Amino acid sequence: MSTIYQSPEHEFEAQPGLPEPLPEDERILWQGKPDLKSFALHAAHLQWFALYFSAMVVLKIIAISRSTGGWAEEWPGFAWALGLSLCALTLLALLTYWSVNATMYTLTNRRLVMRIGIVLTITFNLPLKRLAQAGVHIYPDGSADIPIKLNADDKIPFLHLWPHARAWKLAHPEPMMRCVPDGAKVAKLFADTWATMNQVELRPQPIIQPESSASSYGQGMAIAKVSQSRP
């Protein structure tokens, strides 16, 4: 279990990541938060925003170079375009940092607790007996997304979870631990804990390290799967 820093805005918590003390028969197995670099690349997609704004600035340069007035008259427009692009990227980077800093995932022997939210902090308690399936997608840097499928009669609104939700699962949103470091290790611990809690014997399923970040969730993603968890 890693050592977690307790920030001032979460001083109300009984302990980092948990809104109230755990029962005597419950213990923390793992705590963590998203890897900042991985989250910036795979969740916030900052590289694509940087490419977009760079293209806009380049197009502005080309337009000014071909204009009749040239740089002597058009440089204020370029300064505005460059300044606004830098401001937008800075704001996106700050939102990414704040989102990672406010997030805490806690796995106990009985539940998964997700504390998320920048301005409005929300804590989701997900009992392991109420989870029907989990998966894993490992990135080349070793971090991983771990999506979790809830039982059919449980539902959390997508907007309450975002960005800690699997993309495009709008009808039945799936909570997801985003970009957790040592993803394969955390995924195995989660699967083993889930199996122990549900008294289910899992068949070994190798977690394959992808050759590139282009790989997507597939049939081999399941690390824990049943048709229905026991009540």
Side-chain angles (χ1 to χ4, degrees):
M1 184 180 66
S2 59
T3 301
I4 304 299
Y5 171 72
Q6 176 78 322
S7 56
E9 60 266 28
H10 298 122
E11 288 180 347
F12 63 88
E13 294 177 327
Q15 60 187 100
L18 299 174
E20 58 186 23
L22 294 176
E24 293 184 0
D25 60 343
E26 188 172 0
R27 65 186 186 280
I28 296 176
L29 303 179
W30 173 84
Q31 273 191 321
K33 59 176 59 181
D35 177 79
L36 179 59
K37 180 180 178 181
S38 181
F39 192 89
L41 293 176
H42 305 300
H45 303 292
L46 287 184
Q47 73 276 25
W48 298 113
F49 284 105
L51 181 62
Y52 169 79
F53 287 115
S54 297
M56 294 297 101
V57 171
V58 170
L59 290 176
K60 185 65 175 178
I61 293 174
I62 294 174
I64 292 176
S65 300
R66 295 181 177 180
S67 66
T68 56
W71 285 95
E73 296 182 4
E74 300 293 339
W75 70 264
F78 170 76
W80 271 103
L82 180 61
L84 290 175
S85 297
L86 292 176
C87 287
L89 287 175
T90 300
L91 180 58
L92 289 170
L94 286 174
L95 288 174
T96 299
Y97 172 78
W98 290 331
S99 182
V100 169
N101 192 54
T103 298
M104 184 71 68
Y105 306 129
T106 303
L107 176 65
T108 76
N109 58 320
R110 300 178 64 88
R111 70 182 113 169
L112 173 67
V113 182
M114 300 175 62
R115 183 244 279 161
I116 61 177
I118 300 176
V119 178
L120 179 61
T121 300
I122 303 176
T123 301
F124 293 104
N125 280 283
L126 307 177
L128 297 180
K129 286 191 174 183
R130 302 295 302 174
L131 307 182
Q133 179 175 322
V136 62
H137 172 77
I138 302 179
Y139 295 105
D141 61 2
S143 64
D145 289 339
I146 302 177
I148 300 161
K149 185 176 181 180
L150 306 177
N151 281 336
D153 53 345
D154 296 328
K155 186 175 181 181
I156 302 175
F158 185 86
L159 292 179
H160 290 183
L161 291 167
W162 188 88
H164 308 272
R166 187 176 176 186
W168 311 116
K169 295 291 183 177
L170 302 179
H172 300 284
E174 297 182 9
M176 183 159 69
M177 291 189 282
R178 301 298 303 260
C179 304
V180 294
D182 297 322
K185 181 179 178 180
V186 176
K188 185 178 186 307
L189 176 62
F190 182 85
D192 291 343
T193 306
W194 178 91
T196 300
M197 187 65 187
N198 288 277
Q199 299 179 354
V200 174
E201 183 177 355
L202 297 177
R203 289 180 298 177
Q205 299 189 43
I207 300 176
I208 301 174
Q209 187 81 8
E211 296 181 357
S212 69
S213 59
S215 60
S216 59
Y217 298 102
Q219 295 297 322
M221 65 176 280
I223 56 175
K225 181 177 181 181
V226 291
S227 59
Q228 181 74 17
S229 298
R230 298 183 181 181

